[in-house]
Amino acid sequence: MDYKGLAWKIKPEYGDCDEDVKKFLSKFYELDHPTKILEVGANQEFAADILVDNGWTDVTGVDLFDRENRGYKHIAGDFVHLAESGELKDFDVVFSLSAIEHFGLEVYKASGREAPWDVDYDSKAMGAIKKVLKPGGTAYITVPYGKEHTVSLGHWRAYDRTTLRDRIENGFEVMERSFFLSAQAAGIGDPPMDVSIEQADSYDVGSYPHVTAFLKLRKPC
């Protein structure tokens, strides 16, 4: 599969990648091998598997759900607690694709897993990402974005300019901040369609396709 001229080997059993994974892959290939990588919220998508299939050998994924037969080291548990315990540390790269917006909300409690109810757990998760990164390390984050901050039915959050800055980017150097629509949902094909921040600000939260913010963040040295 080819994203912006970068060829990725992607197994047929992975299916068609979600738009946030496509955006991540289009931005990630600049990093040299080997790199110590962590995926936070390694659940249904195959981004970590794709990295392993394409030559990255030190890849870990963490999620509340157990995942069997994955090509990388998978840890089932609460990411924030694991970071605080020191079990996770010294990563060159951490990425989290459409996961942080769910942290601390009812969606995980409904799963039957041990999970906190904490409306600030997204901010705490970003603090944990900063903690487990090496100085100068990079974080790739995608979250829903719109003209107002909201929490929808205890399931997910969407961010606006202020909350994106205060809850997600806080404490990091912003290397890239961009916005895109789900190209497939918009009926315009592949890849995701980039939009300006002014366009992103105009979307109602919960609209379909919704806007996703893509962030490349750096932990200060």
Side-chain angles (χ1 to χ4, degrees):
M1 190 170 291
D2 183 86
Y3 297 128
K4 293 191 176 181
L6 303 174
W8 287 89
K9 179 174 66 177
I10 299 179
K11 295 177 180 177
E13 55 263 36
Y14 296 164
D16 189 26
C17 298
D18 279 357
E19 303 299 324
D20 53 350
V21 176
K22 294 176 183 178
K23 177 64 72 172
F24 168 69
L25 294 179
S26 75
K27 301 288 185 177
F28 182 78
Y29 211 82
E30 65 205 55
L31 294 174
D32 295 330
H33 299 51
T35 303
K36 187 177 179 182
I37 302 167
L38 174 68
E39 180 178 13
V40 175
N43 190 355
Q44 297 176 338
E45 291 298 327
F46 291 92
D49 299 88
I50 292 169
L51 295 183
V52 171
D53 294 341
N54 285 270
W56 279 272
T57 57
D58 193 350
V59 180
T60 302
V62 60
D63 193 83
L64 284 172
F65 294 91
D66 245 333
R67 290 293 168 187
E68 297 180 354
N69 302 319
R70 308 310 288 259
Y72 56 89
K73 178 184 178 181
H74 191 282
I75 300 173
D78 184 293
F79 166 64
V80 175
H81 291 169
L82 290 167
E84 291 174 348
S85 73
E87 184 171 343
L88 300 170
K89 59 184 179 181
D90 296 331
F91 288 91
D92 298 293
V93 172
V94 177
F95 70 96
S96 186
L97 308 178
S98 296
I100 296 296
E101 67 267 22
H102 301 296
F103 273 49
L105 300 183
E106 191 64 32
V107 61
Y108 283 121
K109 293 187 75 66
S111 74
R113 298 292 306 198
E114 188 73 23
W117 171 263
D118 186 341
V119 294
D120 293 321
Y121 223 50
D122 55 341
S123 296
K124 293 175 182 177
M126 290 304 303
I129 287 174
K130 184 179 177 184
K131 181 179 179 66
V132 303
L133 277 171
K134 294 178 180 177
T138 304
Y140 295 87
I141 308 294
T142 66
V143 291
Y145 184 90
K147 64 183 180 181
E148 61 182 357
H149 175 65
T150 186
V151 179
S152 176
L153 300 176
H155 177 70
W156 64 295
R157 304 171 181 85
Y159 299 85
D160 58 14
R161 287 200 193 199
T162 300
T163 52
L164 192 69
R165 180 193 67 219
D166 294 346
R167 303 183 73 86
I168 304 298
E169 300 172 350
N170 188 33
F172 289 92
E173 298 172 4
V174 180
M175 303 174 70
E176 179 180 343
R177 181 193 299 115
S178 59
F179 304 87
F180 64 91
L181 287 172
S182 166
Q184 292 175 337
I188 59 174
D190 190 25
M193 185 178 75
D194 292 331
V195 296
S196 68
I197 189 170
E198 290 79 16
Q199 291 171 310
D201 285 340
S202 71
Y203 272 78
D204 289 321
V205 174
S207 64
Y208 190 76
H210 69 73
V211 174
T212 299
F214 173 88
L215 302 170
K216 181 179 178 181
L217 307 173
R218 182 177 181 270
K219 178 178 177 176
C221 292

